């Protein structure tokens, strides 16, 4: 592949993913406020306020075994980037790097935003079972566990009543995702696309759910708009300050409610989506995953992973498969599990859209 062709592919990848990630059957582009059928002003009732928030039985954390697992994930890196040095030892109950999370991504209102909303729950869970089993076969040393990664705040092509270009999904729909996840004892990730809003405004609204031991967080820099261009017109970004707010907020929930550490997934497929990566603060209560979120041919995805994830280490890494977009144009194909396991560092969070 020539340098010029690769550069063009990367640009096309970024722009195409920007528009396709938000697509919905409701209005040809975005999930609308009307489709959510509940207020977006924070007045929606807390439908699970009395849910059990007792922390799960913690795993013991041994410093030597934790470091040994990190060395395995480094996959023989000789640059000194991986594993990340001087990171804090996580609190008891940490999921990473002991388990590999395999997540289905999407929104229940849209069949076009990801596999989570594309298939009926029973069929979707059966497909997730097969992916988890495949990962357990491909890597017998690290158990794969299931997760549902649900877009709880979606970017919008229109300003909405408050001009924030985002729609908050009703709590009743999050409840539905929790009930589906319960059928497989799966983790749940709540994903935030802020538009012209902020993490400070959106994240605390989800505390009811984040107080649950099995509920974790995803944040999407792509739709964090810091200027006058709405989502879909330019790729947004989060700074280290944004990410540090999210980890500090999660850490406080962990401390106050005696929870096991939270996992924070940060999407990334361009250089500019995460700024000042070296100023991100790592905390024993939160495990940070930078998820390679781009689609395309295997060579392109490997290059994106190496350029934007490998070269700017934060803590853990993730990798995203696209059931449809990875095949565009033919004869492109999805990467194999074996190819992904050879990446440096080795991803510990896997997502399917």
């Amino acid at each position: 592949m020539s340098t010029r062709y690769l550069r063009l592919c990367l640009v096309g990848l970024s722009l195409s993913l920007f528009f396709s990630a938000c697509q919905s059957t409701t209005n040809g582009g975005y999930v609308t406020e009307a489709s959510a059928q509940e207020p977006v002003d924070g007045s929606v009732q807390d439908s699970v306020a009395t849910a059990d928030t007792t922390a799960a039985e913690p795993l013991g954390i041994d410093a030597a075994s934790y470091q040994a697992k990190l060395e395995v994930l480094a996959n023989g890196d000789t640059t000194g980037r991986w594993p990340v040095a001087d990171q804090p030892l996580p609190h008891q109950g940490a999921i990473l790097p002991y388990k590999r999370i395999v997540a289905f991504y999407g929104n229940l209102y849209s069949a076009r935003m990801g596999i989570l909303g594309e298939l009926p729950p029973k069929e979707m869970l059966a497909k997730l079972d097969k992916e988890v089993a495949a990962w357990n076969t491909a890597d017998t040393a690290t158990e794969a566990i299931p997760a549902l990664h649900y877009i709880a705040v979606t970017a919008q092509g229109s300003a909405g009543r408050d001009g924030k270009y985002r729609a908050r999904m009703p709590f009743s729909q999050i409840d539905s995702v929790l009930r589906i996840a319960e059928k497989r004892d799966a983790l749940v990730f709540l994903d935030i696309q802020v538009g012209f809003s902020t993490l400070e405004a959106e994240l605390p609204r989800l505390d009811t759910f984040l107080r649950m031991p099995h509920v974790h967080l995803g944040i999407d820099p792509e739709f964090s708009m810091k200027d006058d261009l709405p989502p879909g017109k330019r790729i947004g970004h989060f700074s280290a300050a944004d990410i540090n707010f999210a980890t500090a907020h999660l850490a406080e929930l962990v401390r106050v409610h005696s929870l096991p550490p939270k996992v924070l997934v940060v999407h990334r497929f361009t250089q500019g989506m995460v700024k000042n990566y070296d100023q991100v603060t790592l905390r024993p209560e939160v495990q940070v995953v930078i998820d390679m979120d781009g689609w395309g041919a295997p060579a392109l995805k490997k290059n994106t992973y190496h350029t934007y994830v490998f070269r700017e280490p934060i803590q853990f890494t993730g990798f995203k498969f696209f059931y449809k977009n990875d095949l565009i144009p033919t004869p492109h194909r999805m990467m194999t599990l074996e190819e992904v396991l050879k990446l440096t560092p080795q991803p510990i969070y896997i997502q399917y859209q």
Side-chain angles (χ1 to χ4, degrees):
M1 179 182 294
S2 69
T3 301
R4 181 173 180 272
Y5 176 73
L6 182 57
R7 188 179 298 112
L8 290 172
C9 286
L10 282 170
V11 172
L13 165 65
S14 299
L15 294 176
S16 298
L17 180 57
F18 212 98
F19 288 99
S20 65
C22 289
Q23 286 182 336
S24 163
T25 56
T26 56
N27 67 351
Y30 300 87
V31 174
T32 64
E33 290 179 284
S35 71
Q37 298 178 344
E38 293 196 31
V40 297
D41 59 2
S43 62
V44 62
Q45 294 297 308
D46 184 345
S47 57
V48 292
T50 59
D52 181 13
T53 58
T54 304
E57 184 67 24
L59 297 171
I61 298 297
D62 174 75
S65 63
Y66 180 76
Q67 185 63 31
K69 291 291 288 184
L70 294 182
E71 294 288 348
V72 170
L73 290 182
N75 244 1
D77 176 50
T78 59
T79 67
R81 291 183 174 93
W82 302 93
V84 173
D86 301 323
Q87 60 175 287
L89 190 68
H91 285 179
Q92 290 186 337
I95 297 172
L96 309 177
Y98 305 101
K99 311 284 187 182
R100 174 172 285 109
I101 300 169
V102 178
F104 271 13
Y105 172 94
N107 182 286
L108 297 182
Y109 285 128
S110 172
R112 299 177 65 185
M113 291 178 75
I115 191 67
L116 176 57
E118 181 178 347
L119 300 176
K122 184 175 181 180
E123 187 177 345
M124 181 271 295
L125 288 175
K127 189 176 183 68
L128 178 58
D129 289 342
K130 291 181 180 178
E131 298 293 6
V132 171
W135 278 100
N136 278 320
T137 298
D139 182 7
T140 58
T142 304
E143 181 187 359
I145 59 174
L148 301 181
H149 195 118
Y150 168 71
I151 311 167
V153 180
T154 67
Q156 298 289 285
S158 58
R161 293 198 295 270
D162 59 4
K164 298 300 184 182
Y165 286 85
R166 60 88 182 92
R168 295 165 170 170
M169 297 297 100
F171 280 15
S172 59
Q173 196 192 74
I174 300 177
D175 284 341
S176 294
V177 174
L178 290 170
R179 286 191 291 269
I180 295 170
E182 188 177 11
K183 297 178 184 297
R184 292 298 188 276
D185 195 22
L187 302 176
V188 172
F189 286 80
L190 300 181
D191 204 85
I192 299 176
Q193 301 172 354
V194 297
F196 280 115
S197 185
T198 63
L199 289 175
E200 288 85 348
E202 302 303 325
L203 179 50
R205 291 188 69 256
L206 301 175
D207 283 356
T208 289
F209 305 101
L210 291 169
R211 288 196 297 265
M212 300 176 182
H214 67 299
V215 177
H216 302 270
L217 181 67
I219 58 175
D220 199 339
E222 180 182 357
F223 304 106
S224 172
M225 314 315 296
K226 306 287 190 179
D227 53 29
D228 59 350
L229 292 177
K233 300 299 183 181
R234 178 180 295 168
I235 297 174
H237 73 271
F238 281 136
S239 66
D242 294 313
I243 297 172
N244 288 341
F245 169 80
T247 60
H249 187 86
L250 292 174
E252 181 69 9
L253 288 175
V254 167
R255 289 191 295 268
V256 170
H257 299 285
S258 300
L259 301 171
K262 294 296 182 182
V263 178
L264 172 65
V265 172
V266 183
H267 304 284
R268 188 177 194 183
F269 61 90
T270 71
Q271 182 71 38
M273 286 173 68
V274 176
K275 298 186 183 298
N276 311 119
Y277 81 95
D278 55 345
Q279 297 176 28
V280 172
T281 300
L282 299 181
R283 311 174 194 274
E285 302 91 350
V286 183
Q287 301 189 288
V288 180
V289 175
I290 303 300
D291 180 37
M292 202 298 283
D293 200 23
W295 58 266
L300 181 58
K301 297 190 73 154
K302 289 177 185 178
N303 182 76
T304 303
Y305 187 85
H306 181 80
T307 303
Y308 307 127
V309 178
F310 164 80
R311 288 183 180 175
E312 297 194 351
I314 294 181
Q315 191 174 22
F316 295 99
T317 70
F319 193 87
K320 189 169 186 175
F321 291 89
F322 291 79
Y323 283 117
K324 295 185 173 112
N325 287 357
D326 280 349
L327 308 181
I328 301 172
T330 55
H332 286 178
R333 62 174 177 84
M334 292 175 64
M335 287 179 64
T336 67
L337 276 56
E338 291 72 21
E339 287 173 323
V340 173
L341 288 170
K342 290 178 182 178
L343 292 172
T344 301
Q346 192 179 93
I348 197 66
Y349 170 87
I350 303 297
Q351 187 177 96
Y352 289 86
Q353 179 169 334

